[in-house]
Amino acid sequence: MTDPVIIRSLTPSDAALFTTFQDSTHVGRAAFGHAYTSTADGGEYRPDWSWVALRGDTVIARAAWWGGPDDTEPVVLNWFDFADGEAEAGAELLRRAPFDKEYELIAPAGWRDDPAVRRAVEARVAAATAAGMEPLVERYRYRWTPGCPLPERTGRLTYRPEPDDAVVLDVLRRVHSATLDAHARKAIEGPGGLEAAAQEELDFFHWCPSPREWWQLAYTPDGEVAGIHVPAHNPSGPCVGFVGVVPEARGHGYGYDLLVECTRFLVEHGAEFVAGATDRGNVPMAAAFARAGYPITQEWVHLA
């Protein structure tokens, strides 16, 4: 007789149970040298946000939701895997855990070219879909390091800090009024519309622990707003927090100018690497990252 499956969260006393399951695929945070560490031991994953499915004493599926050190609820699911033949246990784990958060499935760059990795990605997408999630978007993840060329500023735009959140919010509304970003479009399609999409970006900027005075608006030579860039630090380190061009300034390649300024700003403030991301479908921004010398290091599949 097969043992029943028990699904539960962890506690500080048994958080090590999460690591008893070993996944050999190159999918998820572990594949990139990121170990699961419990906050009970000074790590970043909280035991009560970490769930396992057990058959007897054996972990057959696991999921960990992540949040920043000051968050009172998780921000995202970014660790989910299960043993061979246990996809339904994984799906049931996601159904029963009390968190309605987006799933960021982390895969290596070019994951479709490796049959084993592709099977692992597709199996997790299928399990998450069976649990009620829907694919939202795939994104490229970039990482500039000192081994990459440091792009030169173009000198076409000028940059000034903008201390007024209302002004920043207005620029974000303009940027998102015509956007290729899937998350912004999802917010716009919701009950809050364009206002909600802009506010979500502003809330993210404030959530980042980097200085508020780093946010900068970009201006054309005739003094018109061209866009905004936000050099930032998230809990994992320096990143391109946001780059956006207002619709009336598009067609001039200003996204590249903003990305270069953001990169150099962070490097000049001591960054030893700079992370960035854009949707696979955002061809202009992907081209800007490539031109600026950012290699693609990961591809993320988002389900919501």
Side-chain angles (χ1 to χ4, degrees), residues 277-301:
T278 195
D279 292 3
R280 279 174 57 104
N282 191 339
V283 174
M285 200 64 227
F289 273 108
R291 182 182 171 192
Y294 277 76
I296 299 171
T297 55
Q298 301 172 354
E299 295 182 38
W300 288 20
V301 182

Side-chain angles (χ1 to χ4, degrees), residues 168-239:
V168 173
L169 192 63
D170 180 64
V171 173
L172 292 171
R173 287 192 204 97
R174 293 163 64 186
V175 170
H176 282 331
S177 66
T179 180
L180 296 173
D181 184 88
H183 285 90
R185 293 170 73 167
K186 180 174 182 284
I188 291 168
E189 291 167 1
L194 182 58
E195 187 68 26
Q199 188 64 51
E200 280 186 11
E201 298 291 0
L202 189 68
D203 291 345
F204 168 72
F205 301 165
H206 280 295
W207 177 82
C208 291
S210 38
R212 168 65 178 79
E213 58 267 23
W214 284 9
W215 311 359
Q216 293 188 334
L217 298 188
Y219 296 87
T220 63
D222 58 5
E224 296 297 321
V225 172
I228 178 174
H229 80 98
V230 178
H233 277 225
N234 62 29
S236 298
C239 65

Side-chain angles (χ1 to χ4, degrees), residues 35-141:
Y36 174 88
T37 51
S38 167
T39 52
D41 300 315
E44 62 175 313
Y45 284 100
R46 305 182 199 187
D48 54 329
W49 295 353
S50 305
W51 283 60
V52 293
L54 296 155
R55 182 171 279 117
D57 296 327
T58 303
V59 175
I60 58 173
R62 58 184 180 172
W65 284 259
W66 178 88
D70 298 323
D71 290 324
T72 57
E73 63 180 36
V75 173
V76 69
L77 167 66
N78 63 11
W79 198 311
F80 173 53
D81 48 21
F82 43 85
D84 289 345
E86 299 291 359
E88 177 51 35
E92 184 62 18
L93 186 159
L94 296 184
R95 293 186 197 106
R96 294 186 40 192
F99 310 118
D100 183 18
K101 300 297 179 182
E102 188 172 304
Y103 174 28
E104 292 179 348
L105 193 167
I106 305 169
W111 60 268
R112 286 181 172 84
D113 299 329
D114 184 320
V117 174
R118 180 168 184 162
R119 284 193 298 271
V121 170
E122 291 177 346
R124 293 179 197 187
V125 169
T129 302
M133 294 184 178
E134 294 183 359
L136 175 62
V137 69
E138 294 184 31
R139 286 171 65 80
Y140 293 126
R141 305 288 296 193

Side-chain angles (χ1 to χ4, degrees), residues 153-162 215-220 226-229 254-262 265:
R153 291 182 169 98
T154 67
R156 298 193 301 168
L157 301 173
T158 57
Y159 304 90
R160 296 198 297 270
E162 178 46 67
W215 311 359
Q216 293 188 334
L217 298 188
Y219 296 87
T220 63
I228 178 174
H229 80 98
Y254 287 150
Y256 174 76
D257 298 54
L258 291 164
L259 177 60
V260 170
E261 184 64 26
C262 194
F265 183 99

